[in-house]
C-alpha cells in the first residue's frame, strides 16, 4: 500500500472502480478520461517526485480513514436503507 493508481475511467469496470476509489481518497486528479490525458498526467506526476513522496507518506492513513473505514460505510448504508424505507412507507 502507498502507491496511488493512475487510471482511465471509461467503459471497463476496473477503470471505473479504480476511479471511484481514487476520488474517495481525494485523488480525482489521478482519474483521466482519455489515453492522451493519461499520458500527460503520468508524465506530469513522474516529474513531480516531491509531490509523489508526500502523497505516499499520507496515503495509508488516508485510505484507512476513507475507503477502508468499514464502520463509516456501514453507517452510510444504514442511513441510506432507513431513508429508502421511510420513502417507501410514505408513498
Amino acid at each position: 500500500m502507498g502507491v496511488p493508481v493512475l487510471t482511465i475511467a471509461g467503459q471497463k469496470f476496473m477503470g471505473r472502480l479504480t476511479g471511484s476509489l481514487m476520488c474517495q481518497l481525494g485523488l480525482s486528479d489521478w482519474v483521466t478520461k482519455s489515453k492522451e490525458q493519461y499520458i500527460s498526467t503520468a508524465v506530469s506526476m513522474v516529474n513531480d517526485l516531491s509531490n509523489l513522496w508526500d502523497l505516499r507518506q499520507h496515503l495509508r492513513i488516508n485510505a484507512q480513514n476513507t475507503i477502508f473505514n468499514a464502520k463509516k460505510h456501514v453507517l452510510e448504508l444504514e442511513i441510506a436503507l432507513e431513508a429508502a424505507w421511510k420513502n417507501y412507507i410514505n408513498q
Side-chain angles (χ1 to χ4, degrees):
M1 188 186 304
V3 179
V5 178
L6 182 62
T7 190
I8 301 174
Q11 298 297 319
K12 298 193 178 181
F13 172 74
M14 289 309 296
R16 293 190 315 271
L17 175 63
T18 304
S20 175
L21 293 172
M22 291 297 100
C23 287
Q24 286 191 22
L25 286 166
L27 300 173
S28 58
D29 51 335
W30 287 77
V31 183
T32 63
K33 297 181 181 187
S34 67
K35 289 179 184 177
E36 294 79 16
Q37 185 184 15
Y38 180 94
I39 293 167
S40 82
T41 301
V43 169
S44 175
M45 302 272 182
V46 167
N47 287 322
D48 190 358
L49 294 179
S50 63
N51 185 49
L52 282 175
W53 175 255
D54 185 53
L55 180 61
R56 289 193 67 197
Q57 298 308 303
H58 301 100
L59 192 56
R60 182 180 300 265
I61 292 172
N62 192 11
Q64 289 170 341
N65 292 332
T66 56
I67 62 175
F68 298 140
N69 186 340
K71 288 182 182 182
K72 177 182 173 235
H73 292 300
V74 169
L75 179 61
E76 290 172 351
L77 178 61
E78 289 172 344
I79 291 169
L81 290 172
E82 185 176 341
W85 176 250
K86 286 179 181 179
N87 184 43
Y88 174 76
I89 61 173
N90 290 326
Q91 289 182 1

